[in-house]
Amino acid sequence: MRRTTVIRTGLSALLLLGTWAAAGLAPAAAAPSPASGAPASTGLLTAMQKDLGLTESQAKARLAAEKTATAVEGKAKRAAGASYGGSWFNPDSGTLTVTVTSAQKADAVRATGANVQLVKHSARQLDAAKERIDALSAPAGVSSWHVDPKANRVVVNVVAAQKSDNDVRDFLDRARQAGPVTVKETAQAPQTFAAGTVGGDPYYTGNVRCSIGFSVHGGFVTAGHCGQAGASVSGWDGSYIGNFQGSSFPDNDYAWVNVGSGWWTAPVVLGWGSVSDQLVRGSNEAPIGASICRSGSTTHWRCGNLLAKNETVNYSQGAVHQMTKTSVCAEGGDSGGSFISGDQAQGVTSGGWGNCSGGGETWYQPINEILGRYGLTLHTA
C-alpha cells in the first residue's frame, strides 16, 4: 500500500503500513485498555453522547461500569455453576444482574459484585430449547430467535405484517413445544448489508463492496456473505490484497482474508473522523446492556446498545446462528465491519433491518468464534 495514500483513506486503518513508525505517523488517541486505567478518548465520549444521548460525565461513568461488569460476569458465571440462568448489564444503575435457579448459589454470586435474581430455567435449559428451535425450518415471516435472560425464555421475533401467516403460526406452535417461548413483533425482516461497487470504499470482491472487520496475524476477518473461499479481494484503490481463505454463510456469517502484495495489518479500527481511530487491545466479550460501536465503509462510526446474544437470524438465504443483536444502525456496504466495545473487539457486522436515517437493529458474528474456527490470532496493540 503506498504511503502517499495511507492518510487519505487508511483502508479502515486495518491495513496501514506494517508499523506506524515506518509511515512516519503516530497512533491516534484510542479508547483505553481495561487494564490500563487510561481515560477514554474524547472522540469516543463524543460519539456516545451523540448516539446514546449521554452527557460527558455519564459516558465516562458508563464505560467504567461496563468494564467492571465485564470482569464480574465471568466470575459470577463460574460461581453460579449449573444454576446460571444468564446475565445483563443495567446502564441506569451501572450494575450487572445474574440469574440463578438455586437460592443456595445466590450468596456466592452476590459476592462477586453482581445483583442476583432467582429464575425457573437455567441457561443450559434455555440454550437446549433454542437448539431445538434451530432445527426447525423457519418461514420468511420469522425474523430471529434468542435466549432472553431477563424474560428467562426464548424470544421469537416475527415480522408484524406476517404474524397471521399460516406458516408463521405453524412455526410458533412447534417452537412452543421446544420449550418456554415468548413471541415479539419486529418491523422488518433482516437482510445482509453487502452492496454493489461504489468507488472509493474499502474492499471489493467481484461487484460486491464490504467492510474490513479486524486485523489478525496474516490477514483480516469479515462477513462470510461477502465472498466465498478463493475469491479475490481488492482494496479501495483497486490493488490486489489477497483471497478469502475461509468463508461460511449461511449457518454462520464469517470469513477471513489473507493480506499480502504490499498490504499490511494493524490493530486499529477506523473512526472516520467522528472519533479518533481506535486501537484494539483484546476481545473480552461485553455483557448484554453494554454500549457498543460499529465502524463500516458506508455509515462510518455508529454507537448503540448490546441487546441480545446467541440469536438465530433468519435471512432469506438461510438461518445464521450464534449472532449478537444491537441497536446500532447500518446500511449496505457496512457488512463485515468492526463492532467494538471500548478497545475490545466484539465481532463483524452481518446484517439487520432499517437504516441510519430512521433507525433499526443490526447483528454481528462474535469475533472469538471466528478466531477459534480458523485458528487465527487477533492483532492487538
Side-chain angles (χ1 to χ4, degrees):
M1 186 176 187
R2 303 173 182 86
R3 292 183 185 179
T4 55
T5 58
V6 169
I7 297 176
R8 187 169 74 85
T9 68
L11 186 70
S12 171
L14 293 168
L15 300 176
L16 293 173
L17 290 170
T19 64
W20 291 99
L25 303 174
S33 163
S36 70
S41 71
T42 300
L44 177 58
L45 295 173
T46 300
M48 292 181 68
Q49 291 174 68
K50 175 179 177 291
D51 291 339
L52 298 176
L54 304 174
T55 65
E56 181 178 354
S57 61
Q58 288 172 334
K60 288 180 178 179
R62 178 160 177 176
L63 286 172
E66 287 173 355
K67 288 179 183 178
T68 299
T70 298
V72 167
E73 188 173 40
K75 298 177 182 177
K77 187 174 181 179
R78 289 190 293 272
S83 177
Y84 179 72
S87 54
W88 66 90
F89 174 77
N90 185 327
D92 294 328
S93 63
T95 58
L96 183 79
T97 298
V98 175
T99 62
V100 294
T101 59
S102 171
Q104 295 177 344
K105 293 289 187 178
D107 288 341
V109 173
R110 197 173 289 111
T112 67
N115 292 334
V116 179
Q117 287 186 11
L118 286 175
V119 292
K120 181 179 180 180
H121 307 290
S122 70
R124 185 176 301 173
Q125 291 171 325
L126 293 174
D127 287 343
K130 180 184 172 293
E131 288 181 6
R132 289 190 286 272
I133 298 174
D134 284 344
L136 304 177
S137 178
V142 177
S143 172
S144 63
W145 54 94
H146 70 275
V147 171
D148 184 345
K150 287 186 180 181
N152 196 228
R153 302 175 75 83
V154 178
V155 173
V156 178
N157 297 291
V158 300
V159 179
Q162 300 182 53
K163 64 181 180 180
S164 298
D165 180 86
N166 288 336
D167 290 338
V168 171
R169 288 181 173 181
D170 180 63
F171 178 88
L172 293 177
D173 288 341
R174 288 180 291 150
R176 291 186 178 99
Q177 294 173 16
V181 163
T182 293
V183 178
K184 292 186 177 180
E185 295 181 11
T186 186
Q188 301 176 34
Q191 59 184 355
T192 56
F193 284 129
T197 300
V198 176
D201 286 308
Y203 89 85
Y204 307 91
T205 177
N207 67 341
V208 172
R209 168 171 60 87
C210 281
S211 301
I212 292 165
F214 292 94
S215 285
V216 296
H217 290 290
F220 65 83
V221 295
T222 187
H225 71 263
C226 291
Q228 297 181 346
S232 177
V233 173
S234 58
W236 64 269
D237 60 355
S239 65
Y240 172 74
I241 296 176
N243 295 79
F244 279 82
Q245 299 299 302
S247 179
S248 178
F249 180 78
D251 187 29
N252 305 293
D253 193 6
Y254 51 59
W256 82 281
V257 175
N258 70 312
V259 167
S261 303
W263 295 81
W264 282 265
T265 64
V268 177
V269 172
L270 187 65
W272 293 97
S274 298
V275 302
S276 301
D277 294 347
Q278 303 292 298
L279 292 177
V280 178
R281 300 188 186 276
S283 58
N284 293 327
E285 186 178 335
I288 292 172
S291 62
I292 194 165
C293 297
R294 180 190 57 72
S295 182
S297 61
T298 300
T299 58
H300 300 169
W301 185 269
R302 303 284 177 158
C303 296
N305 297 308
L306 198 156
L307 301 178
K309 295 184 180 183
N310 191 21
E311 183 153 25
T312 298
V313 181
N314 190 36
Y315 293 130
S316 60
Q317 300 94 329
V320 176
H321 304 95
Q322 296 179 313
M323 301 267 269
T324 299
K325 180 165 65 178
T326 78
S327 64
V328 186
C329 68
E331 297 179 9
D334 287 327
S335 278
S338 323
F339 265 93
I340 188 167
S341 180
D343 55 13
Q344 300 295 303
Q346 299 298 308
V348 300
T349 304
S350 174
W353 61 269
N355 55 50
C356 289
S357 297
E361 294 176 336
T362 300
W363 287 269
Y364 65 81
Q365 189 91 67
I367 182 68
N368 289 327
E369 179 185 358
I370 307 171
L371 300 177
R373 168 64 179 82
Y374 294 117
L376 302 170
T377 301
L378 186 67
H379 192 170
T380 57

